[in-house]
Amino acid sequence: MIGLDIRVDDLTGPEVARLIGEHLHSMTLHSPPESIHALDLEKLRKPEITFWSVWEGNELLGCGALKELDNQHAEVKSMKTSTAHLRKGVAKLMMEHLIHEAKRRGYVRLSLETGSMAAFEPAKKLYEKYGFTYCAPFADYIEDPNSVFMTKEL
């Protein structure tokens, strides 16, 4: 994917706001409110979260974030590919970036939460491809039939 730019994003641009809005809306279509763990723009601006966006020229293709849980463990958050760019390798590129960055920061574990419903199968397959395995809830999560938890040792 030559010509793509992954950059730390301050979450102030309208394109990012639209993509996060799309992400949050898609969660409401597939998960009950109490099982939605996606973060809005304000929560993504917390100091323990670094948010990246993927661009091709002036077009936003996708995003992803790392939330530091402690100095050895981070969580993948806000993995989202723009609907116009699905199945073009954007999620793969972002996942590789997040894993590389987690290793660079010295984390020994990377974990995530995603939905258990059929709509989340492509995401789960991607995470499995990158070596994530199913695990018990971590951090502040609790058992939830609408969520699955995955982790990867780095």
Side-chain angles (χ1 to χ4, degrees), residues 38-124:
L39 302 176
D40 63 20
L41 289 170
E42 182 181 334
K43 290 179 181 160
L44 284 168
R45 290 188 184 109
K46 301 275 185 192
E48 65 272 16
I49 296 175
T50 306
F51 182 90
W52 289 271
S53 53
V54 182
W55 297 82
E56 185 172 42
N58 293 326
E59 190 168 5
L60 177 62
L61 280 64
C63 62
L66 286 178
K67 177 181 180 181
E68 183 172 292
L69 301 174
D70 61 45
N71 65 355
Q72 296 190 337
H73 190 189
E75 179 182 2
V76 173
K77 297 296 292 180
S78 300
M79 283 282 296
K80 179 67 177 172
T81 300
S82 170
T83 305
H85 297 285
L86 293 173
R87 290 172 286 289
K88 294 181 181 177
V90 176
K92 177 180 179 273
L93 181 71
M94 180 54 71
M95 180 53 54
E96 289 170 1
H97 176 77
L98 294 176
I99 291 169
H100 174 78
E101 181 64 19
K103 287 178 180 178
R104 189 191 70 73
R105 292 180 179 193
Y107 299 134
V108 297
R109 180 170 299 282
L110 195 54
S111 301
L112 61 90
E113 178 277 337
T114 192
S116 62
M117 297 68 115
F120 297 95
E121 277 306 311
K124 291 186 281 188

